[in-house]
Amino acid sequence: MPYLLYIKSKKTKVYIFMVRKSCIASWYLWAINIVLSSVTFGQELDRDSLRKKVEQFQQTPGYKKDTAYIKALNHLAYRYWSTVPDSVMAISKRALLFSNRIGYQRGVVVAMINIGTAHYEKGNFQEAMEVERDAMIRAEQMGLRKEIGVLCINLSMVYMDIGLYEKAQQLAYRGLEIATENGYDKQVARNHWTLGQVHELQGNLHEARKSFARSKALYDRAGYKDLLHMLDIRIGRVYLKENQPATALEFYEKALKESRDLGHRAGMVRSFMALGDFLEQTGNPTEAMEKYAEATNIAMKLGTEQKVAEADLKVAKCLLGTGKPEEAYVQVQRGLRLARKINHMTLTREGVLVLSEIQAAMGDYKAALDSYREYTSLGDSLMNQEVRTQLVRAEEQFRHGQEIRTVNQRHQEQLLRQRNLTYFILVLSILLVVMVVLLFLYLRNIRRTNRIQKLHQEEIDAQNRELERMGKFKDRILSVVAHDVKTPLNSLKSTVDMYREGMFTKEEMGMLTNDISMKLNEVNFFVNDLVLWAKSQMTEASARPVRFEIKEIVEKTISLLLPDAKRKGIEVLDRTGPGMVFADVEMVKIVVRNFLANAIKYSGKGDGIIISSSIQSGERLLVVSVEDTGTGIPAEKLPHIFDEVNMSTEGTHHEIGTGLGLVLSRQYMEMNHGKIGVESEQGKGSTFWFALPLAEQPS
């Protein structure tokens, strides 16, 4: 985030006065005054001198962690923001700890602003938003106008990165208003900068250039020369988007010259990176690599591992584009190591994608596929832009709903008070006329109110129970989709994406067809089970029993799933005899299909499956069993095999399932007045069975 806050005194000297009772106190005050007389909190101090000042604090006899020390820490954190976000985080957390200890609220707010900035620089937008919002609440409670203005800018940057441009623009205008009213010249300039970024993201390039130019003029007039190069880079980027590369190059070179003249090494890194990007985009990858190398050398001296990693990845892409995949492989490995070391998820994901492309160019398709899958996995963990936007919008809607509910609650309380007051006046009036009538009416009204309240309470309790049930149902649905449906879909998507990008030949894709077909069958069964289970949870389903022959159902199910069994080398034997049952045909089909599918899933090559039936004359039940010689079920899982809490495990060929098939089977058997059960021994196989009422013989 390109803006932090530190406290800068109008005077350059900072003094601390402490009260002591002994003569040593006088000497101590004099020593502290001498040490702090050279401490300034202006932006001209570099990190080395600030570190020395902090060390002087700690080495002073009788030293205490007071407000001057906290200000020094916050300023030191500010000087790190553009190079080492992890250092910003560590120093700011230290400042926050000491601020809380001594009750220094302004120090708390400034430290929280710096922590939010560190989260932003590392791409942790949700964490940055939470910290900055908390800081905004504290700043507004204390009336810290300058800090509120800074937080408007910082939150505006977060909203821009998650795609809420209107919200970002509103905050930028609010920050501009605060800065203008209070004469905060630097904040005025920074808000014009932020508005320029919003205009650029919205496609208003002319307005973006005007805002950037206005911001640069204000910074220049205020003497903040070390920020001018960043605005020149922004203006150059806008000109490049307007298809004016010559003008864009002038601004990039101007930014580099300004940074060199000031000896601003972080600015030189940014300028060389911008020039490298420009050369790469305009078709000069060799010259671009030279600029990236310059940026890398300076960044390494600064200790800015994030910029070094970023430059390494860009050089790797250029090398790949110039037909040097082996050199690109070495470069991308170095960049990836740094990105993982500093735990920068965005750079890591970008590096893994470049690595996948390089491996594909080198002919190592298996490694390329593995890298691409890691890239997809990292994308899920980072959460894509649309999902982040939806989460933030949902949070905003939730907050708005809470405000409406609070207003409604207050309105209801006011109406309740008015009603009670009306009753009270009515009672007093009636007391003056007839006491007996008043008492009768009052008692009758109380009884009626109690009945109504009781009915309302019962309705509310019923609604709460239903909401709780639906909430649990929603959680189970999301758990199943996230755990069992997304995985095969991600695998299929990765394979198809790589085929579309030319990483597989048609012959190689043909070899993967069976695997794709199996995955699609799994997803189809997943969705069918999920829909049926969701329907059973949301509606009161009931069975529609009819007379039918069980053997026909078994034969059709075997013909449906036999290709899967043959593919795995499993023999399926049908030993069911004739038998008429009275049950819901579709529900029984689902039970038979789930039993046979599970038997195939947990059996391997050379195993066998036997489907048989028998009649229990005493209870007038037809029993159908599916016996396999597969992996079996652990003893501790058997008691819960038909519970909703049970989750499916991988099959012998890494097949997965929703774990809902057996739940549906149990529910359907109960609806048809049947029974269900399982017998299994791990390593020897399983026998699943169900029993249905026999159909009455027609008269």
Side-chain angles (χ1 to χ4, degrees):
M1 186 178 295
Y3 199 63
L4 284 83
L5 181 67
Y6 62 93
I7 306 301
K8 179 180 178 181
S9 174
K10 293 182 179 178
K11 298 180 179 180
T12 59
K13 298 181 180 180
V14 179
Y15 300 91
I16 298 177
F17 298 94
M18 304 175 67
V19 177
R20 298 292 185 189
K21 294 182 179 179
S22 65
C23 61
I24 299 177
S26 300
W27 178 88
Y28 170 69
L29 285 172
W30 176 81
I32 291 293
N33 187 35
I34 293 299
V35 171
L36 297 180
S37 63
S38 62
V39 177
T40 66
F41 296 95
Q43 197 167 0
E44 68 276 5
L45 290 179
D46 61 15
R47 293 194 300 269
D48 293 336
S49 62
L50 278 168
R51 282 196 298 268
K52 292 178 182 178
K53 298 303 176 184
V54 171
E55 291 171 0
Q56 286 178 352
F57 274 115
Q58 297 171 336
Q59 295 170 2
T60 302
Y63 155 76
K64 286 188 175 181
K65 296 177 176 64
D66 50 20
T67 57
Y69 175 70
I70 293 168
K71 289 177 182 179
L73 286 177
N74 281 329
H75 191 192
L76 180 59
Y78 168 79
R79 299 302 296 166
Y80 270 108
W81 76 263
S82 64
T83 55
V84 189
D86 287 333
S87 296
V88 177
M89 182 75 71
I91 297 169
S92 300
K93 286 184 176 179
R94 189 176 181 186
L96 180 63
L97 173 65
F98 295 136
S99 297
N100 280 318
R101 282 184 181 177
I102 67 173
Y104 181 34
Q105 295 303 315
R106 182 184 289 270
V108 170
V109 172
V110 175
M112 291 176 70
I113 292 173
N114 293 348
I115 290 171
T117 300
H119 279 305
Y120 176 90
E121 289 296 323
K122 291 172 70 68
N124 303 326
F125 301 132
Q126 191 67 27
E127 292 83 352
M129 185 182 302
E130 291 173 359
V131 174
E132 301 282 7
R133 280 179 172 170
D134 192 5
M136 177 70 83
I137 293 172
R138 292 171 180 261
E140 289 177 341
Q141 289 173 346
M142 298 174 60
L144 303 177
R145 301 293 289 171
K146 188 172 185 179
E147 285 77 4
I148 292 172
V150 172
L151 286 162
C152 285
I153 295 171
N154 290 2
L155 283 170
S156 177
M157 297 295 292
V158 176
Y159 281 123
M160 271 193 285
D161 278 289
I162 62 176
L164 294 178
Y165 303 138
E166 293 183 3
K167 186 72 173 178
Q169 196 171 44
Q170 291 172 4
L171 283 168
Y173 277 121
R174 183 190 175 194
L176 181 60
E177 181 182 354
I178 292 173
T180 304
E181 288 177 355
N182 293 275
Y184 303 144
D185 295 338
K186 187 177 181 181
Q187 283 191 19
V188 172
R190 189 62 189 85
N191 277 287
H192 282 298
W193 186 341
T194 306
L195 287 170
Q197 291 177 267
V198 176
H199 287 313
E200 182 182 353
L201 290 170
Q202 291 176 326
N204 302 325
L205 300 180
H206 179 68
E207 291 297 324
R209 279 196 289 106
K210 286 173 58 179
S211 295
F212 289 141
R214 190 178 296 116
S215 176
K216 181 182 177 182
L218 290 170
Y219 275 128
D220 193 15
R221 188 170 62 192
Y224 293 103
K225 304 294 185 182
D226 58 339
L227 297 176
L228 301 184
H229 73 280
M230 297 176 70
L231 286 156
D232 282 330
I233 291 173
R234 290 279 181 180
I235 295 171
R237 188 171 66 186
V238 174
Y239 273 117
L240 187 60
K241 289 182 179 180
E242 291 179 323
N243 200 23
Q244 300 184 50
T247 308
L249 181 59
E250 290 178 7
F251 276 92
Y252 289 142
E253 292 176 341
K254 185 178 181 182
L256 180 58
K257 182 180 184 304
E258 289 168 342
S259 301
R260 278 176 168 163
D261 291 344
L262 291 173
H264 195 314
R265 292 186 295 174
M268 292 169 65
V269 171
R270 295 191 199 97
S271 301
F272 275 121
M273 292 289 284
L275 281 167
D277 292 342
F278 171 81
L279 291 168
E280 182 186 9
Q281 293 174 31
T282 53
N284 298 296
T286 303
E287 296 180 23
M289 284 190 287
E290 295 176 0
K291 302 301 181 184
Y292 292 143
E294 293 280 1
T296 301
N297 292 334
I298 301 173
M300 290 177 69
K301 294 176 183 178
L302 282 172
T304 314
E305 294 179 324
Q306 177 178 334
K307 289 296 183 184
V308 175
E310 185 179 344
D312 283 341
L313 296 180
K314 290 180 179 292
V315 170
K317 291 177 69 175
C318 291
L319 287 170
L320 180 62
T322 55
K324 300 176 180 178
E326 290 79 10
E327 296 179 27
Y329 182 80
V330 175
Q331 197 75 25
V332 77
Q333 288 287 4
R334 190 176 80 164
L336 262 176
R337 279 195 300 271
L338 278 175
R340 288 184 168 125
K341 175 184 174 184
I342 62 177
N343 196 28
H344 199 296
M345 295 297 291
T346 304
L347 278 179
T348 302
R349 184 169 186 256
E350 180 183 344
V352 170
L353 179 60
V354 176
L355 177 62
S356 175
E357 294 172 354
I358 293 172
Q359 289 167 333
M362 295 172 66
D364 192 349
Y365 297 112
K366 183 180 183 303
L369 177 59
D370 292 339
S371 297
Y372 194 84
R373 284 174 175 166
E374 183 182 357
Y375 165 78
T376 304
S377 176
L378 288 171
D380 291 340
S381 64
L382 283 171
M383 191 178 297
N384 58 50
Q385 191 82 342
E386 180 181 356
V387 174
R388 288 202 303 268
T389 302
Q390 290 175 353
L391 287 175
V392 174
R393 287 176 177 167
E395 183 179 352
E396 294 294 334
Q397 291 172 356
F398 176 72
R399 290 175 180 270
H400 182 63
Q402 280 187 320
E403 292 174 359
I404 293 176
R405 285 192 292 272
T406 302
V407 172
N408 288 339
Q409 184 177 359
R410 290 175 181 172
H411 181 63
Q412 291 296 329
E413 290 173 353
Q414 184 179 4
L415 289 177
L416 182 60
R417 287 194 296 269
Q418 291 176 352
R419 187 185 67 178
N420 291 338
L421 180 60
T422 301
Y423 284 160
F424 178 71
I425 295 174
L426 180 61
V427 168
L428 288 179
S429 300
I430 296 176
L431 274 174
L432 296 175
V433 182
V434 181
M435 183 65 71
V436 176
V437 175
L438 172 63
L439 183 60
F440 170 77
L441 293 176
Y442 178 76
L443 292 175
R444 186 176 68 177
N445 185 62
I446 290 295
R447 288 193 297 269
R448 183 171 57 196
T449 302
N450 288 340
R451 286 197 300 271
I452 293 173
Q453 288 180 345
K454 185 177 180 180
L455 291 173
H456 286 175
Q457 187 61 45
E458 290 174 354
E459 292 176 359
I460 291 172
D461 291 341
Q463 290 174 356
N464 287 337
R465 287 192 297 271
E466 180 62 17
L467 286 173
E468 183 178 1
R469 188 185 73 82
M470 292 303 293
K472 292 180 180 178
F473 165 64
K474 178 203 69 176
D475 292 340
R476 290 197 297 271
I477 285 285
L478 292 177
S479 175
V480 168
V481 172
H483 181 267
D484 292 313
V485 176
K486 188 174 74 174
T487 301
L489 289 179
N490 278 344
S491 176
L492 290 173
K493 184 177 182 301
S494 298
T495 303
V496 174
D497 286 347
M498 294 190 68
Y499 174 68
R500 292 176 60 188
E501 293 176 10
M503 294 185 182
F504 293 136
T505 63
K506 290 184 178 180
E507 291 76 11
E508 292 171 330
M509 194 62 187
M511 296 173 63
L512 294 175
T513 302
N514 289 336
D515 183 62
I516 293 174
S517 177
M518 184 175 67
K519 293 292 184 184
L520 289 174
N521 285 336
E522 290 176 16
V523 173
N524 185 44
F525 284 146
F526 294 170
V527 173
N528 287 338
D529 286 347
L530 189 60
V531 170
L532 290 170
W533 179 68
K535 184 177 179 181
S536 70
Q537 294 294 305
M538 299 178 67
T539 63
E540 295 183 1
S542 59
R544 297 180 179 178
V546 295
R547 296 176 73 255
F548 65 91
E549 173 61 58
I550 192 68
K551 186 171 180 61
E552 295 179 2
I553 301 298
V554 173
E555 290 176 348
K556 290 180 180 179
T557 305
I558 291 175
S559 64
L560 175 65
L561 298 177
L562 190 58
D564 291 339
K566 289 182 177 180
R567 192 179 301 116
K568 295 181 70 174
I570 301 167
E571 183 180 5
V572 180
L573 298 178
D574 180 10
R575 294 181 180 174
T576 56
M580 298 294 292
V581 295
F582 187 69
D584 188 304
V585 178
E586 296 302 322
M587 291 183 177
V588 175
K589 284 181 180 179
I590 292 170
V591 175
V592 175
R593 189 201 73 195
N594 273 296
F595 279 13
L596 182 54
N598 279 344
I600 295 171
K601 176 180 174 182
Y602 296 108
S603 297
K605 186 175 181 180
D607 286 329
I609 299 173
I610 300 174
I611 305 177
S612 60
S613 64
S614 61
I615 295 177
Q616 294 182 359
S617 302
E619 299 184 41
R620 291 201 53 77
L621 294 174
L622 176 67
V623 180
V624 178
S625 61
V626 180
E627 179 182 358
D628 66 71
T629 59
T631 59
I633 303 169
E636 64 273 12
K637 290 188 177 182
L638 274 177
H640 308 290
I641 198 69
F642 295 107
D643 294 347
E644 292 186 6
V645 297
N646 179 53
M647 293 299 293
S648 175
T649 56
E650 286 191 353
T652 55
H653 283 196
H654 305 291
E655 305 98 329
I656 60 174
T658 62
L660 296 176
L662 295 179
V663 177
L664 281 171
S665 299
R666 175 181 59 80
Q667 293 176 355
Y668 287 168
M669 284 298 105
E670 290 173 354
M671 291 179 187
N672 287 277
H673 306 288
K675 298 180 181 180
I676 194 168
V678 61
E679 298 170 1
S680 181
E681 184 175 352
Q682 191 169 10
K684 294 185 178 181
S686 305
T687 300
F688 283 83
W689 59 267
F690 65 86
L692 290 170
L694 286 167
E696 297 292 339
Q697 295 297 328
S699 57

